[in-house]
Amino acid sequence: MSNLHSLALLLQSGDGGSPGAVLGALAFMVVVFVAMWKVFTKAGQPGWALLIPIYNGYVLLKIVGRPGWWLLLFLIPLVNFIIAIVVNFDLARSFGKGAGFALGLTFLSPIFYIILGLGAAEYEGPAAAAA
């Protein structure tokens, strides 16, 4: 989501930003969307689910093995940050990655989604359900 915010700020600036910067931001966003689509499909979920705002959170919870009602926890201020970190740790474990990768998903999510989706990582099953 921070990529969308950055692009919006770039487009709202007085001159609209340089065309190269706008095209670069759009290209990066497309790569991130493709990578996230691949994360969903690697986990056996439909990639198009990524495009539907609330449903994509539900599907992500399903991928990591958390109950769907956790989606409501994302609506509670401050609790949502903790839940997001827990889900990132579960997502990393679901793909056989460790705590360092989970921290990368938390703080540099676009880059780490690219690594997860377009890299050699394989889905090992919902980590939260196994724990």
Side-chain angles (χ1 to χ4, degrees):
M1 296 297 171
S2 61
N3 293 333
L4 294 175
H5 182 67
S6 299
L7 181 63
L9 288 175
L10 184 65
L11 293 175
Q12 288 175 358
S13 65
D15 61 357
S18 70
V22 172
L23 290 176
L26 285 173
F28 183 70
M29 285 176 47
V30 168
V31 171
V32 172
F33 272 101
V34 168
M36 291 177 73
W37 187 295
K38 288 289 291 177
V39 168
F40 276 43
T41 57
K42 282 182 176 183
Q45 299 298 322
W48 57 263
L50 167 71
L51 304 174
I52 302 172
I54 296 171
Y55 183 62
N56 64 11
Y58 174 78
V59 172
L60 185 60
L61 288 172
K62 191 173 170 183
I63 288 170
V64 301
R66 295 291 177 180
W69 65 264
W70 271 40
L71 200 57
L72 296 174
L73 296 175
F74 281 106
L75 301 175
I76 304 171
L78 299 178
V79 173
N80 56 4
F81 291 115
I82 296 166
I83 296 302
I85 292 168
V86 170
V87 169
N88 283 335
F89 271 80
D90 288 340
L91 183 62
R93 287 189 332 203
S94 295
F95 280 87
K97 304 292 184 184
F101 197 88
L103 290 173
L105 278 170
T106 301
F107 295 109
L108 298 169
S109 57
I111 294 167
F112 279 79
Y113 266 107
I114 291 171
I115 294 169
L116 197 60
L118 301 179
E122 292 185 22
Y123 183 67
E124 296 178 356

